[in-house]
Amino acid sequence: MTLVQMQPRPARAAPAHRTAAEAMDAGGPQVCDDMTIEVALSVMASARTGHLLVCDDDGLCTGLVTQAKLTAARDGSAYTDRVQLRDILGDRGPFTSPVATVAEAQHAMRYSRLDALPVVDEHGNALGVLALAG
């Protein structure tokens, strides 16, 4: 397991013009997509977080899993102890750019019914997580 590098937060901009990079959290634990659901739930509990950033073998962010998604997969009829995160993630994404405005990212999150969205750079590396407030 590799941890996401912590990024210092830049000075706060005016709310209407804040970017995702200015509003994101550092991201928390970053795990490989070959991790099993049970191990991911254990990592999540140990880190006291509600989500994990998931990366592929090249270190590129492939998505984000939440405790609710992991629990639903574990409780599903197709579950075995060999199910890996890549099996439940599906396609890469969704993501937001660090230069996207908070309003743009929040609109995309509400449209997609997401509580959190990975912020990735132009190379696909995870920079952090933008979460909806309240």
Side-chain angles (χ1 to χ4, degrees):
M1 177 180 72
T2 313
L3 294 180
V4 173
Q5 289 183 335
M6 303 301 268
Q7 303 286 332
R9 285 193 173 180
R12 300 251 183 223
H17 301 299
R18 288 181 65 198
T19 65
E22 293 168 331
M24 71 181 186
D25 290 325
Q30 183 174 325
V31 298
C32 193
D33 63 359
D34 64 355
M35 181 177 281
T36 65
I37 290 175
E38 287 300 326
V39 174
L41 283 166
S42 179
V43 169
M44 197 175 286
S46 296
R48 294 184 179 140
T49 186
H51 60 265
L52 297 171
L53 286 166
V54 182
C55 293
D56 63 15
D57 292 333
D58 297 322
L60 301 178
C61 186
T62 58
L64 181 138
V65 291
T66 62
Q67 184 173 12
K69 186 170 188 165
L70 292 175
T71 302
R74 183 188 61 196
D75 295 343
S77 61
Y79 175 76
T80 70
D81 61 355
R82 294 182 184 200
V83 175
Q84 298 175 326
L85 296 179
R86 68 173 61 116
D87 299 328
I88 65 168
L89 272 177
D91 296 333
R92 260 181 68 104
F95 308 105
T96 194
S97 164
V99 297
T101 66
V102 170
E104 292 169 333
Q106 287 178 336
H107 176 75
M109 291 166 67
R110 287 190 179 99
Y111 180 78
S112 300
R113 296 184 177 154
L114 300 170
D115 293 329
L117 193 60
V119 179
V120 298
D121 66 14
E122 65 274 10
H123 304 291
N125 299 304
L127 302 175
V129 175
L130 185 64
L132 285 176

